[in-house]
Amino acid sequence: EKGEFRHFMMKEIYEQPEVVKATMQGRITEDRLLEQSFGNGASELFDQTRQVQIIACGTSYHAGLIAKYWIEDIAGIPCAVEVASEFRYRKHVIPDNTLFITISQSGETADTLAALRAIKEQVLASLTICNVPGSSLVRESDLSLMTNAGPEIGVASTKAFTTQLVALLMLTVALARRNGLSEEQEANIIRGLHQLPSLLLAGVRLDKDIELLAQDFAEKNHALFLGRGPLYPVAMEGALKLKEISYIHAEAYPAGELKHGPLALVDKEMPVVTVAPNNALLDKLKANLQEVKARGGELFVFAGADKIQQEDGLKVRQMPDVPEFLEPIVYTIPLQLLSYHAAVLKGTDVDQPRNLAKSVTVE
Ligand code: F6R
């Protein structure tokens, strides 16, 4: 039940600190990953893994795109990501010792399931990261790691996404162990995971402030979302949420692509939302922001503390300081809140957006 909340989506946004904790519980110690959480035989399969192929749809696909950054950066293993509806209908070159991963809230998405069935015989093993025990993907995969998000009722996925990211970060640690991750580096990641619930809570507490920001969106017809590195898929997820529930057309771009086309769209009717944490690419991103500002675009920036100063045409919201590998998870929260409040202001059916179904069991 919704309890004190007006919509399931909001309840599920607020549940994230708790369900993220439930997804880690019993799977990590104070400073180590418990690898047996991935099931019997997982360790031997991880030993043999030389390449990762991730398949998913929609929001779950965005989780896969973020995982690619982690798996290549932290584990040093090549990782390909593709939407299931494309993957299942084309010919593949599958390198030896490929671990095939599906990501799905429902475990029943027709295209994801079909992709698994088509490729099963050609891969080292299949692993599903899934939220519904006993679902088709769980039954048909060799290994599974459940996201313990609990039932997700809102059609727009929120807590399923952040718990998928936690599961994928744990998987990254398992793979990275085989590829030079030191005990100290592992401890650093695991300690970061223990901090995550309170960091997410700090994100959720921006709610009232973001509700005010949303007023600048509710009358707009378009919005642009920018990010760099693993925050680019976070921007894609932010744009998808806005489209789904508020019906405002939104597109995400890697910030470096701005001048290769989309900058032509920028004027005062085009709000630009940027997720800009505290990383090495911040200076590059600042240059992109100036390009938008110079064209009269209204900018909304979620940034690390004191990283970017508020000025005319630039609305900055300070985020808690976050270890770099957790940024994609924490920066997702303000974008969920922004789309939620924009939708409420527009008066759309937040939990049941038009034309969409919670579980897409047909092609
Ligand atoms: C977006 C959304 C959809 C799903 C997609 C995959 O908010 O909910 O894009 O993410 O249909 O569904 P699952 O994860 O159940 O395979």
Side-chain angles (χ1 to χ4, degrees):
E1 264 319 297
K2 282 182 292 213
E4 64 190 284
F5 296 99
R6 194 164 152 198
H7 298 99
F8 281 107
M9 183 181 176
M10 194 51 141
K11 173 174 177 266
E12 290 162 2
I13 289 174
Y14 271 73
E15 272 172 5
Q16 288 175 109
E18 189 188 312
V19 294
V20 148
K21 202 168 173 181
T23 300
M24 306 185 296
Q25 204 118 50
R27 293 167 171 173
I28 54 177
T29 66
E30 193 189 315
D31 54 6
R32 301 283 287 163
L33 170 76
L34 298 171
E35 206 171 274
Q36 54 273 37
S37 316
F38 289 88
N40 282 341
S43 294
E44 291 71 25
L45 291 169
F46 293 154
D47 287 344
Q48 294 171 57
T49 299
R50 296 289 170 272
Q51 139 99 14
V52 174
Q53 172 72 60
I54 299 178
I55 293 298
C57 302
T59 291
S60 299
Y61 167 67
H62 295 155
L65 290 176
I66 292 166
K68 176 185 167 76
Y69 284 90
W70 286 333
I71 291 171
E72 299 210 345
D73 184 26
I74 304 172
I77 294 174
C79 175
V81 191
E82 195 168 338
V83 287
S85 56
E86 284 299 312
F87 184 88
R88 65 177 288 201
Y89 292 117
R90 69 179 186 89
K91 213 176 133 198
H92 304 282
V93 182
I94 304 281
D96 287 347
N97 295 314
T98 293
L99 178 64
F100 185 79
I101 299 178
T102 55
I103 309 172
S104 176
Q105 190 286 126
S106 63
E108 303 296 346
T109 300
D111 284 324
T112 310
L113 197 54
L116 170 66
R117 288 175 179 159
I119 210 74
K120 237 177 172 171
E121 307 305 324
Q122 297 172 55
V123 296
L124 172 68
S126 54
L127 162 68
T128 188
I129 291 178
C130 188
N131 195 43
V132 178
S135 60
S136 301
L137 278 174
V138 172
R139 283 186 274 111
E140 296 188 29
S141 300
D142 301 315
L143 301 171
S144 54
L145 187 70
M146 303 313 296
T147 47
N148 297 331
E152 192 179 60
I153 310 292
V155 164
S157 189
T158 52
K159 61 177 182 170
F161 180 68
T162 42
T163 53
Q164 285 166 352
L165 291 175
V166 168
L168 288 161
L169 194 53
M170 293 194 290
L171 174 72
T172 302
V173 170
L175 295 172
R177 277 181 172 175
R178 274 104 184 140
N179 231 350
L181 188 79
S182 68
E183 280 190 21
E184 196 187 320
Q185 288 168 318
E186 175 169 337
N188 186 39
I189 295 174
I190 302 299
R191 289 200 195 103
L193 276 174
H194 283 293
Q195 280 182 292
L196 187 59
S198 61
L199 292 169
L200 292 177
L201 193 62
V204 167
R205 289 207 175 112
L206 296 172
D207 188 13
K208 285 285 164 267
D209 194 23
I210 292 173
E211 185 174 1
L212 295 174
L213 277 189
Q215 289 174 352
D216 294 320
F217 279 79
E219 298 107 64
K220 295 288 194 292
N221 295 314
H222 307 275
L224 209 53
F225 285 70
L226 302 178
R228 276 182 178 268
L231 274 294
Y232 165 47
V234 170
M236 294 170 78
E237 175 58 11
L240 176 62
K241 285 290 90 94
L242 193 68
K243 278 181 271 208
E244 277 183 297
I245 60 170
S246 76
Y247 315 146
I248 295 172
H249 167 230
E251 274 195 86
Y253 270 93
E257 277 290 291
L258 196 60
K259 55 168 87 61
H260 298 287
L263 194 54
L265 291 169
V266 173
D267 62 15
K268 62 180 186 355
E269 290 307 311
M270 176 70 88
V272 179
V273 181
T274 306
V275 272
N278 175 23
N279 66 25
L281 293 171
L282 191 65
D283 281 341
K284 288 212 187 314
L285 200 70
K286 281 183 182 163
N288 301 139
L289 298 184
Q290 288 310 321
E291 288 161 354
V292 171
K293 234 190 89 178
R295 282 149 189 94
E298 208 177 350
L299 268 159
F300 300 85
V301 183
F302 297 99
D306 303 322
K307 293 300 167 209
I308 297 180
Q309 298 313 316
Q310 182 105 0
E311 50 183 282
D312 268 0
L314 190 88
K315 289 186 177 150
V316 183
R317 288 298 172 273
Q318 310 245 321
M319 295 290 292
D321 271 326
V322 184
E324 194 170 335
F325 55 89
L326 293 180
E327 284 169 354
I329 311 180
V330 177
Y331 278 73
T332 292
I333 308 290
L335 302 190
Q336 292 171 342
L337 290 166
L338 188 63
S339 57
Y340 173 81
H341 288 298
V344 169
L345 285 165
K346 286 194 69 175
T348 60
D349 188 346
V350 173
D351 284 333
Q352 278 294 340
R354 65 188 183 199
N355 312 338
L356 299 178
K358 182 66 186 160
S359 184
V360 185
T361 53
V362 290
E363 294 182 32

